[in-house]
Amino acid sequence: MMLSMMISDPRQPGNDIDVYLSLLIEDLRKLWDEGVLVFDGFRKETFEMRAMLFCTINDFPAYGNLSGYSVKGHHACPICEEDTRYIQLRHGRKAVYTSHRHFLQPHHPYRRLKKAFNGSLEHETASIPLNGEQVFQRVEHLNTIFGKTQKKDKSKTCIWKKRSIFFDLPY
């Protein structure tokens, strides 16, 4: 088991995290394809160890950096994507995401609470999350440019910023 933690600050790598993760991906590919000989001290013998990345656990900004999804703006929900429901604040120009009760069961009591939320009932159903193949189809042709000095291309409306380095794993 491996546990690592990164704490964000103004100098965090952002999308350039893939540069740092490339060595990890290289090691994971070797552990998956070839395996490595490891000595078991209890049994006093060597064995071939194989390993894979099972999951990552991260907060929402880190999710954006690892996956390449834009977690800010009008389409910040990675499940809803273009169907993200938001309200644009008049004086702050901020997007507020108020309609996430649609992820609850259809007859959940919170769906009927108007005063506690935004003054309306929630009747819509949640979007179905994309599977891995659908996500890959959306990002496979994206050109990833590393470096913080790059200007954002405002003409593109794609909510995916890059193809995650995790797609380089064989599983």
Side-chain angles (χ1 to χ4, degrees):
M1 181 168 108
M2 178 175 64
L3 176 68
S4 64
M5 182 169 66
M6 295 179 63
I7 299 172
S8 61
D9 76 356
R11 296 179 312 259
Q12 73 173 341
N15 278 340
D16 295 345
I17 190 71
D18 288 359
V19 173
Y20 299 99
L21 290 174
S22 63
L23 296 173
L24 172 66
I25 298 300
E26 188 178 309
D27 288 344
L28 286 170
R29 286 184 70 101
K30 182 176 181 176
L31 286 168
W32 178 262
D33 293 335
E34 305 166 23
V36 293
L37 286 178
V38 177
F39 181 74
D40 182 346
F42 181 74
R43 293 188 176 163
K44 307 283 191 245
E45 61 185 26
T46 60
F47 68 96
E48 185 179 282
M49 181 179 73
R50 293 180 179 261
M52 65 180 281
L53 177 68
F54 178 69
C55 69
T56 64
I57 300 172
N58 34 263
D59 62 5
F60 207 53
Y63 167 78
N65 290 339
L66 291 175
S67 70
Y69 187 80
S70 179
V71 294
K72 299 176 184 174
H74 296 165
H75 306 297
C77 178
I79 296 172
C80 302
E81 291 189 324
E82 286 90 2
D83 297 328
T84 300
R85 295 169 186 92
Y86 66 93
I87 297 172
Q88 187 79 30
L89 297 179
R90 277 185 233 143
H91 301 293
R93 294 180 25 195
K94 299 280 185 182
V96 180
Y97 313 101
T98 58
S99 300
H100 274 70
R101 288 178 285 160
H102 65 272
F103 287 106
L104 298 172
Q105 295 296 322
H107 298 292
H108 195 283
Y110 281 8
R111 283 182 172 256
R112 294 187 302 274
L113 293 179
K114 290 169 49 170
K115 284 186 181 179
F117 293 98
N118 60 351
S120 65
L121 299 174
E122 188 75 49
H123 297 293
E124 290 92 16
T125 57
S127 303
I128 297 171
L130 300 175
N131 64 34
E133 286 184 27
Q134 292 168 319
V135 170
F136 185 72
Q137 288 172 357
R138 292 182 186 214
V139 299
E140 68 180 323
H141 298 296
L142 288 180
N143 184 20
T144 303
I145 301 172
F146 295 111
K148 292 192 175 206
T149 59
Q150 304 295 328
K151 297 284 183 198
K152 290 183 180 177
D153 186 358
K154 302 273 185 185
S155 66
K156 294 181 185 175
T157 58
C158 184
I159 48 185
W160 293 91
K161 301 179 281 189
K162 67 174 184 173
R163 184 179 66 87
S164 175
I165 195 167
F166 292 120
F167 279 115
D168 292 345
L169 292 171
Y171 43 88

